[in-house]
Amino acid sequence: MFGSTPAPSPSTQRRGRACLAAAVLLALGSGAASAQARGQADVPAPRDVAYPGTVALHVDAGDTRQGIFRVHETVPAKSGPMTLLYPSWIPGDHSPSGPVAMMAGLKITAGGKPVAWTRDPYDVYAFHVDVPAGAQALELDFQYLSPRGGGFEMTDRMLDLEWNKVALYPAGYYSRGITFAPSVTLPDGWQFGSALETASTQGATTHFKPVTFNNLVDSPIYAGQYFKRVDLTPKGGAPVHLDVVADAPKYLEMTPEQAQAHRNLVVQATTLFGSHHYDHYDFLFSLSDQLGGNGLEHHQSSENGLGTGYFTDWDQGAPDRDLLAHEYTHSWNGKFRRGADLWTPNFNVPMGDSLLWVYEGQTQYWGFVLTARAGLWSAQQFRDALAMVAANYDRNRVGFQWKTLEDTTNDPTAAHRAGLPYRSWQMSEEYYSAGQMMWLGVDAKLRALSHDSKSLDDFAKAFFGVDNGSYVTKTYTFEDVVAALDAVVPYDWASYLHARVDAVNPPLDTIEGTGWKLVYTDTPSTYQKQYDSQPQSPRHLYNFTWSIGLTMAPDGTINDVRWDGPAFKAGVSTGAKLVAVDGQDYSVDAFKDAIAAAKTRKAPLELLLQYQGVTRTVAVDYHGGLQYPHLERVPGTPDYLSQIIAARR
């Protein structure tokens, strides 16, 4: 399985120790430290020593009708005080999002007798027990009650089992020092995919080989009634598989060309990085209109969830096809190489997110590029997707007037990924897409400085491709990123990055450096038409951001209002519902027609809105017509963009 996670490398030990010390203090500050000052219970700090014995963890996932995971754990223990932790800080979530409220029915026994437990008054993820004299182990029973009102983790045809949601672990130890022996019981006839290795199978129950707790949490299971496994292993490479579960057998069918494009993805990624950091890799992929959509990275696998038509509606599904490339890239960027302040000794010490513009931003960049290099996107689809991203920062992210890109790395913790009333002003995790645009600029800069002899490919191979075959996490700092760029092409990279990462009003002129420019027309690209035609997905909204300044749900509810845009200046509020436009009942086509017609008249658009029980008419003085982004070639300049997405041989 995976290797152990080391402490930060010698070049980053000073910062690593400071980050770790600060993280531990934060973890204890509002909980254990405060509790200790009041004479209350404490949460032991993690130590890098092995936990004695192996924790046996069994999950009965057979209750698909009610969505209940039933858990039994046997935790080796000795008499005296003991603290059990429910994981809080989950890698990839970038925030304390462990769903402890969904855990119920906790009962603890020792030698067949009940053992009382108390929750820590300052840390809701910590449970304190006094292990009775003579006891050798604690027996734990509880349930994880998966969501029943959307975002399903279990349906009558498939499930997503994330081990961090169904496990308690002993406090006082690094997670890599605690060994678990996991097992699961699935509904009869179901098949599954996982990075875990099977030790034995008895009927519907599978026992896995023992793993450390950090590796168990990093190895979820996708299981289902309708399952298909496709071999994507490149010639001479480590095994890679696509493990697909679907709502019905017909959604598992794929053409040879579709399968080959996914094989190409593996080839293009391993060619880019010149390495792999897994023994084997599994794309866990659900195609469902019921199971919650997902995208979460792991070292030897990834969780991916899309609608049923991924293969069967291929010609209409381009906007979703970068998901697998993004999560696969994380095996190198995020799992193998990780920001020093993101490394923590267990899942209850707070993580620092300051380098997510590398972790997620460059992954977002490579996700787009590898999707094109693999042939999952055409060159035109890549450009159309990139144009939409670029346009957001051209017109729709005015929040950079007061907020830096680095500050948005705090958003997962500050906002818990909840909806925001004015995202264009508040900003929300811009380290993904603004980070992507910044790294596009870095790539173009490297090519220009080196007269086309060097590129971000060279950085990727040198930075992420080291230690081939190793999956021991290797941490890095800002200074390490700068040094790696300087080794590719000498330049003042520290100033370049500071101007874009931790300064307000950063330059966002990255498209022009590629030999293309951003333009707007009144006709959407085919890619955007596909994006707008999938209203069942929360990713897909009708986008009038670049014209009147709105994004809207299919029913006319306004999802966001561009700060200081035409609609905002007229007093339109996020959350209002558009009922009629210029006297016509609302439909998306009627709205488009009205925006287009207003281009040739002086009268404002008349919007009839419903909000908070009140109906009112708002006049929007906008006459710019429909505006949709496209990329246009700049004559006489190097076409770096085409070079960037060309398949590598």
Side-chain angles (χ1 to χ4, degrees), residues 582-608:
D582 286 348
Q584 299 293 316
D585 287 346
Y586 166 78
S587 71
V588 68
D589 289 334
F591 193 40
K592 290 179 181 178
D593 291 344
I595 293 173
K599 189 174 182 179
T600 58
R601 74 183 194 205
K602 293 183 179 180
L605 284 159
E606 298 287 341
L607 306 185
L608 182 63

PDB file of all heavy atoms in Angstrom, residues 582-608:
ATOM      1  N   ASP A 582     -39.527  42.275 -19.781  1.00  0.00           N
ATOM      2  CA  ASP A 582     -40.199  43.114 -20.788  1.00  0.00           C
ATOM      3  C   ASP A 582     -41.634  42.650 -21.045  1.00  0.00           C
ATOM      4  O   ASP A 582     -42.109  42.607 -22.186  1.00  0.00           O
ATOM      5  CB  ASP A 582     -39.408  43.116 -22.101  1.00  0.00           C
ATOM      6  CG  ASP A 582     -38.150  43.967 -22.008  1.00  0.00           C
ATOM      7  OD1 ASP A 582     -38.011  44.728 -21.027  1.00  0.00           O
ATOM      8  OD2 ASP A 582     -37.298  43.854 -22.912  1.00  0.00           O
ATOM      9  N   GLY A 583     -42.320  42.272 -19.971  1.00  0.00           N
ATOM     10  CA  GLY A 583     -43.725  41.894 -20.073  1.00  0.00           C
ATOM     11  C   GLY A 583     -43.983  40.482 -20.523  1.00  0.00           C
ATOM     12  O   GLY A 583     -45.145  40.064 -20.613  1.00  0.00           O
ATOM     13  N   GLN A 584     -42.949  39.701 -20.780  1.00  0.00           N
ATOM     14  CA  GLN A 584     -43.097  38.312 -21.207  1.00  0.00           C
ATOM     15  C   GLN A 584     -42.742  37.371 -20.057  1.00  0.00           C
ATOM     16  O   GLN A 584     -41.789  37.624 -19.311  1.00  0.00           O
ATOM     17  CB  GLN A 584     -42.176  38.018 -22.393  1.00  0.00           C
ATOM     18  CG  GLN A 584     -42.442  38.857 -23.635  1.00  0.00           C
ATOM     19  CD  GLN A 584     -43.785  38.528 -24.261  1.00  0.00           C
ATOM     20  OE1 GLN A 584     -44.162  37.369 -24.390  1.00  0.00           O
ATOM     21  NE2 GLN A 584     -44.514  39.574 -24.656  1.00  0.00           N
ATOM     22  N   ASP A 585     -43.512  36.287 -19.896  1.00  0.00           N
ATOM     23  CA  ASP A 585     -43.182  35.295 -18.886  1.00  0.00           C
ATOM     24  C   ASP A 585     -41.742  34.828 -19.073  1.00  0.00           C
ATOM     25  O   ASP A 585     -41.261  34.652 -20.203  1.00  0.00           O
ATOM     26  CB  ASP A 585     -44.117  34.088 -18.984  1.00  0.00           C
ATOM     27  CG  ASP A 585     -45.511  34.396 -18.478  1.00  0.00           C
ATOM     28  OD1 ASP A 585     -45.684  35.436 -17.807  1.00  0.00           O
ATOM     29  OD2 ASP A 585     -46.430  33.603 -18.768  1.00  0.00           O
ATOM     30  N   TYR A 586     -41.066  34.611 -17.946  1.00  0.00           N
ATOM     31  CA  TYR A 586     -39.663  34.229 -18.031  1.00  0.00           C
ATOM     32  C   TYR A 586     -39.481  32.850 -18.658  1.00  0.00           C
ATOM     33  O   TYR A 586     -40.170  31.885 -18.346  1.00  0.00           O
ATOM     34  CB  TYR A 586     -39.001  34.212 -16.650  1.00  0.00           C
ATOM     35  CG  TYR A 586     -37.665  33.504 -16.688  1.00  0.00           C
ATOM     36  CD1 TYR A 586     -36.539  34.156 -17.191  1.00  0.00           C
ATOM     37  CD2 TYR A 586     -37.539  32.166 -16.292  1.00  0.00           C
ATOM     38  CE1 TYR A 586     -35.315  33.504 -17.273  1.00  0.00           C
ATOM     39  CE2 TYR A 586     -36.320  31.514 -16.370  1.00  0.00           C
ATOM     40  CZ  TYR A 586     -35.213  32.182 -16.864  1.00  0.00           C
ATOM     41  OH  TYR A 586     -34.006  31.524 -16.958  1.00  0.00           O
ATOM     42  N   SER A 587     -38.541  32.770 -19.552  1.00  0.00           N
ATOM     43  CA  SER A 587     -37.880  31.544 -19.990  1.00  0.00           C
ATOM     44  C   SER A 587     -36.483  31.981 -20.363  1.00  0.00           C
ATOM     45  O   SER A 587     -36.231  33.166 -20.618  1.00  0.00           O
ATOM     46  CB  SER A 587     -38.588  30.896 -21.187  1.00  0.00           C
ATOM     47  OG  SER A 587     -38.398  31.675 -22.358  1.00  0.00           O
ATOM     48  N   VAL A 588     -35.563  31.052 -20.414  1.00  0.00           N
ATOM     49  CA  VAL A 588     -34.197  31.450 -20.731  1.00  0.00           C
ATOM     50  C   VAL A 588     -34.117  32.042 -22.130  1.00  0.00           C
ATOM     51  O   VAL A 588     -33.376  33.006 -22.382  1.00  0.00           O
ATOM     52  CB  VAL A 588     -33.222  30.265 -20.551  1.00  0.00           C
ATOM     53  CG1 VAL A 588     -33.468  29.174 -21.584  1.00  0.00           C
ATOM     54  CG2 VAL A 588     -31.775  30.753 -20.630  1.00  0.00           C
ATOM     55  N   ASP A 589     -34.905  31.509 -23.071  1.00  0.00           N
ATOM     56  CA  ASP A 589     -34.888  32.055 -24.431  1.00  0.00           C
ATOM     57  C   ASP A 589     -35.488  33.462 -24.472  1.00  0.00           C
ATOM     58  O   ASP A 589     -34.983  34.341 -25.188  1.00  0.00           O
ATOM     59  CB  ASP A 589     -35.640  31.128 -25.387  1.00  0.00           C
ATOM     60  CG  ASP A 589     -34.885  29.836 -25.658  1.00  0.00           C
ATOM     61  OD1 ASP A 589     -33.639  29.848 -25.545  1.00  0.00           O
ATOM     62  OD2 ASP A 589     -35.527  28.822 -25.971  1.00  0.00           O
ATOM     63  N   ALA A 590     -36.569  33.680 -23.691  1.00  0.00           N
ATOM     64  CA  ALA A 590     -37.162  35.017 -23.650  1.00  0.00           C
ATOM     65  C   ALA A 590     -36.184  36.023 -23.060  1.00  0.00           C
ATOM     66  O   ALA A 590     -36.109  37.184 -23.510  1.00  0.00           O
ATOM     67  CB  ALA A 590     -38.451  34.988 -22.838  1.00  0.00           C
ATOM     68  N   PHE A 591     -35.419  35.592 -22.071  1.00  0.00           N
ATOM     69  CA  PHE A 591     -34.431  36.479 -21.448  1.00  0.00           C
ATOM     70  C   PHE A 591     -33.318  36.824 -22.437  1.00  0.00           C
ATOM     71  O   PHE A 591     -32.914  37.987 -22.564  1.00  0.00           O
ATOM     72  CB  PHE A 591     -33.871  35.805 -20.198  1.00  0.00           C
ATOM     73  CG  PHE A 591     -33.084  36.722 -19.307  1.00  0.00           C
ATOM     74  CD1 PHE A 591     -33.495  38.023 -19.066  1.00  0.00           C
ATOM     75  CD2 PHE A 591     -31.926  36.279 -18.688  1.00  0.00           C
ATOM     76  CE1 PHE A 591     -32.771  38.869 -18.233  1.00  0.00           C
ATOM     77  CE2 PHE A 591     -31.193  37.107 -17.855  1.00  0.00           C
ATOM     78  CZ  PHE A 591     -31.621  38.415 -17.634  1.00  0.00           C
ATOM     79  N   LYS A 592     -32.838  35.826 -23.163  1.00  0.00           N
ATOM     80  CA  LYS A 592     -31.810  36.078 -24.177  1.00  0.00           C
ATOM     81  C   LYS A 592     -32.324  37.034 -25.251  1.00  0.00           C
ATOM     82  O   LYS A 592     -31.613  37.974 -25.664  1.00  0.00           O
ATOM     83  CB  LYS A 592     -31.377  34.755 -24.817  1.00  0.00           C
ATOM     84  CG  LYS A 592     -30.577  33.834 -23.921  1.00  0.00           C
ATOM     85  CD  LYS A 592     -30.234  32.541 -24.648  1.00  0.00           C
ATOM     86  CE  LYS A 592     -29.463  31.591 -23.766  1.00  0.00           C
ATOM     87  NZ  LYS A 592     -29.159  30.301 -24.480  1.00  0.00           N
ATOM     88  N   ASP A 593     -33.546  36.807 -25.700  1.00  0.00           N
ATOM     89  CA  ASP A 593     -34.111  37.664 -26.748  1.00  0.00           C
ATOM     90  C   ASP A 593     -34.222  39.109 -26.270  1.00  0.00           C
ATOM     91  O   ASP A 593     -33.954  40.062 -27.028  1.00  0.00           O
ATOM     92  CB  ASP A 593     -35.486  37.151 -27.175  1.00  0.00           C
ATOM     93  CG  ASP A 593     -35.414  35.829 -27.938  1.00  0.00           C
ATOM     94  OD1 ASP A 593     -34.308  35.477 -28.401  1.00  0.00           O
ATOM     95  OD2 ASP A 593     -36.459  35.157 -28.048  1.00  0.00           O
ATOM     96  N   ALA A 594     -34.606  39.292 -25.000  1.00  0.00           N
ATOM     97  CA  ALA A 594     -34.769  40.644 -24.466  1.00  0.00           C
ATOM     98  C   ALA A 594     -33.420  41.354 -24.351  1.00  0.00           C
ATOM     99  O   ALA A 594     -33.312  42.555 -24.656  1.00  0.00           O
ATOM    100  CB  ALA A 594     -35.460  40.588 -23.107  1.00  0.00           C
ATOM    101  N   ILE A 595     -32.395  40.628 -23.915  1.00  0.00           N
ATOM    102  CA  ILE A 595     -31.062  41.236 -23.808  1.00  0.00           C
ATOM    103  C   ILE A 595     -30.568  41.644 -25.194  1.00  0.00           C
ATOM    104  O   ILE A 595     -29.995  42.728 -25.376  1.00  0.00           O
ATOM    105  CB  ILE A 595     -30.080  40.258 -23.133  1.00  0.00           C
ATOM    106  CG1 ILE A 595     -30.465  40.043 -21.672  1.00  0.00           C
ATOM    107  CG2 ILE A 595     -28.649  40.778 -23.226  1.00  0.00           C
ATOM    108  CD1 ILE A 595     -29.648  38.972 -20.971  1.00  0.00           C
ATOM    109  N   ALA A 596     -30.797  40.782 -26.172  1.00  0.00           N
ATOM    110  CA  ALA A 596     -30.367  41.099 -27.538  1.00  0.00           C
ATOM    111  C   ALA A 596     -31.130  42.292 -28.091  1.00  0.00           C
ATOM    112  O   ALA A 596     -30.547  43.185 -28.739  1.00  0.00           O
ATOM    113  CB  ALA A 596     -30.551  39.874 -28.430  1.00  0.00           C
ATOM    114  N   ALA A 597     -32.436  42.338 -27.844  1.00  0.00           N
ATOM    115  CA  ALA A 597     -33.256  43.426 -28.382  1.00  0.00           C
ATOM    116  C   ALA A 597     -32.901  44.764 -27.755  1.00  0.00           C
ATOM    117  O   ALA A 597     -32.974  45.819 -28.411  1.00  0.00           O
ATOM    118  CB  ALA A 597     -34.734  43.113 -28.153  1.00  0.00           C
ATOM    119  N   ALA A 598     -32.483  44.759 -26.482  1.00  0.00           N
ATOM    120  CA  ALA A 598     -32.161  46.006 -25.790  1.00  0.00           C
ATOM    121  C   ALA A 598     -30.927  46.684 -26.371  1.00  0.00           C
ATOM    122  O   ALA A 598     -30.692  47.877 -26.114  1.00  0.00           O
ATOM    123  CB  ALA A 598     -31.948  45.725 -24.301  1.00  0.00           C
ATOM    124  N   LYS A 599     -30.178  45.966 -27.171  1.00  0.00           N
ATOM    125  CA  LYS A 599     -28.959  46.531 -27.762  1.00  0.00           C
ATOM    126  C   LYS A 599     -29.281  47.660 -28.735  1.00  0.00           C
ATOM    127  O   LYS A 599     -28.463  48.575 -28.938  1.00  0.00           O
ATOM    128  CB  LYS A 599     -28.171  45.416 -28.457  1.00  0.00           C
ATOM    129  CG  LYS A 599     -26.789  45.819 -28.933  1.00  0.00           C
ATOM    130  CD  LYS A 599     -26.027  44.626 -29.486  1.00  0.00           C
ATOM    131  CE  LYS A 599     -24.626  45.011 -29.920  1.00  0.00           C
ATOM    132  NZ  LYS A 599     -23.872  43.826 -30.447  1.00  0.00           N
ATOM    133  N   THR A 600     -30.452  47.621 -29.331  1.00  0.00           N
ATOM    134  CA  THR A 600     -30.798  48.602 -30.376  1.00  0.00           C
ATOM    135  C   THR A 600     -31.893  49.574 -29.931  1.00  0.00           C
ATOM    136  O   THR A 600     -32.565  50.176 -30.762  1.00  0.00           O
ATOM    137  CB  THR A 600     -31.256  47.859 -31.643  1.00  0.00           C
ATOM    138  OG1 THR A 600     -32.371  47.019 -31.327  1.00  0.00           O
ATOM    139  CG2 THR A 600     -30.124  47.014 -32.211  1.00  0.00           C
ATOM    140  N   ARG A 601     -32.068  49.722 -28.617  1.00  0.00           N
ATOM    141  CA  ARG A 601     -33.082  50.658 -28.131  1.00  0.00           C
ATOM    142  C   ARG A 601     -32.530  51.412 -26.925  1.00  0.00           C
ATOM    143  O   ARG A 601     -31.536  50.996 -26.313  1.00  0.00           O
ATOM    144  CB  ARG A 601     -34.355  49.906 -27.745  1.00  0.00           C
ATOM    145  CG  ARG A 601     -34.236  49.131 -26.452  1.00  0.00           C
ATOM    146  CD  ARG A 601     -35.464  48.321 -26.113  1.00  0.00           C
ATOM    147  NE  ARG A 601     -35.414  47.878 -24.728  1.00  0.00           N
ATOM    148  CZ  ARG A 601     -36.061  46.801 -24.267  1.00  0.00           C
ATOM    149  NH1 ARG A 601     -36.795  46.063 -25.086  1.00  0.00           N
ATOM    150  NH2 ARG A 601     -35.986  46.475 -22.989  1.00  0.00           N
ATOM    151  N   LYS A 602     -33.187  52.482 -26.549  1.00  0.00           N
ATOM    152  CA  LYS A 602     -32.752  53.281 -25.411  1.00  0.00           C
ATOM    153  C   LYS A 602     -33.426  52.859 -24.113  1.00  0.00           C
ATOM    154  O   LYS A 602     -32.887  53.080 -23.025  1.00  0.00           O
ATOM    155  CB  LYS A 602     -33.036  54.758 -25.685  1.00  0.00           C
ATOM    156  CG  LYS A 602     -32.201  55.346 -26.809  1.00  0.00           C
ATOM    157  CD  LYS A 602     -32.485  56.830 -26.972  1.00  0.00           C
ATOM    158  CE  LYS A 602     -31.627  57.432 -28.085  1.00  0.00           C
ATOM    159  NZ  LYS A 602     -31.895  58.887 -28.248  1.00  0.00           N
ATOM    160  N   ALA A 603     -34.595  52.259 -24.212  1.00  0.00           N
ATOM    161  CA  ALA A 603     -35.348  51.882 -23.011  1.00  0.00           C
ATOM    162  C   ALA A 603     -34.626  50.759 -22.263  1.00  0.00           C
ATOM    163  O   ALA A 603     -34.059  49.855 -22.875  1.00  0.00           O
ATOM    164  CB  ALA A 603     -36.747  51.444 -23.395  1.00  0.00           C
ATOM    165  N   PRO A 604     -34.637  50.801 -20.947  1.00  0.00           N
ATOM    166  CA  PRO A 604     -33.988  49.737 -20.173  1.00  0.00           C
ATOM    167  C   PRO A 604     -34.778  48.436 -20.217  1.00  0.00           C
ATOM    168  O   PRO A 604     -35.961  48.417 -20.580  1.00  0.00           O
ATOM    169  CB  PRO A 604     -33.959  50.307 -18.756  1.00  0.00           C
ATOM    170  CG  PRO A 604     -35.132  51.226 -18.703  1.00  0.00           C
ATOM    171  CD  PRO A 604     -35.240  51.834 -20.086  1.00  0.00           C
ATOM    172  N   LEU A 605     -34.125  47.362 -19.836  1.00  0.00           N
ATOM    173  CA  LEU A 605     -34.806  46.086 -19.654  1.00  0.00           C
ATOM    174  C   LEU A 605     -35.690  46.167 -18.416  1.00  0.00           C
ATOM    175  O   LEU A 605     -35.277  46.707 -17.379  1.00  0.00           O
ATOM    176  CB  LEU A 605     -33.780  44.961 -19.466  1.00  0.00           C
ATOM    177  CG  LEU A 605     -33.038  44.467 -20.704  1.00  0.00           C
ATOM    178  CD1 LEU A 605     -31.754  43.766 -20.298  1.00  0.00           C
ATOM    179  CD2 LEU A 605     -33.923  43.509 -21.484  1.00  0.00           C
ATOM    180  N   GLU A 606     -36.892  45.619 -18.500  1.00  0.00           N
ATOM    181  CA  GLU A 606     -37.810  45.600 -17.363  1.00  0.00           C
ATOM    182  C   GLU A 606     -37.874  44.172 -16.813  1.00  0.00           C
ATOM    183  O   GLU A 606     -38.382  43.260 -17.474  1.00  0.00           O
ATOM    184  CB  GLU A 606     -39.204  46.060 -17.793  1.00  0.00           C
ATOM    185  CG  GLU A 606     -39.258  47.486 -18.325  1.00  0.00           C
ATOM    186  CD  GLU A 606     -39.117  48.521 -17.212  1.00  0.00           C
ATOM    187  OE1 GLU A 606     -39.337  48.161 -16.029  1.00  0.00           O
ATOM    188  OE2 GLU A 606     -38.784  49.683 -17.530  1.00  0.00           O
ATOM    189  N   LEU A 607     -37.344  43.983 -15.618  1.00  0.00           N
ATOM    190  CA  LEU A 607     -37.329  42.663 -14.985  1.00  0.00           C
ATOM    191  C   LEU A 607     -38.346  42.625 -13.858  1.00  0.00           C
ATOM    192  O   LEU A 607     -38.304  43.467 -12.943  1.00  0.00           O
ATOM    193  CB  LEU A 607     -35.941  42.342 -14.429  1.00  0.00           C
ATOM    194  CG  LEU A 607     -34.748  42.447 -15.380  1.00  0.00           C
ATOM    195  CD1 LEU A 607     -33.480  41.972 -14.682  1.00  0.00           C
ATOM    196  CD2 LEU A 607     -34.991  41.653 -16.655  1.00  0.00           C
ATOM    197  N   LEU A 608     -39.263  41.665 -13.902  1.00  0.00           N
ATOM    198  CA  LEU A 608     -40.218  41.452 -12.818  1.00  0.00           C
ATOM    199  C   LEU A 608     -39.649  40.376 -11.904  1.00  0.00           C
ATOM    200  O   LEU A 608     -39.450  39.230 -12.331  1.00  0.00           O
ATOM    201  CB  LEU A 608     -41.583  41.028 -13.368  1.00  0.00           C
ATOM    202  CG  LEU A 608     -42.685  40.815 -12.316  1.00  0.00           C
ATOM    203  CD1 LEU A 608     -42.996  42.128 -11.591  1.00  0.00           C
ATOM    204  CD2 LEU A 608     -43.948  40.240 -12.971  1.00  0.00           C
TER     205      LEU A 608
END
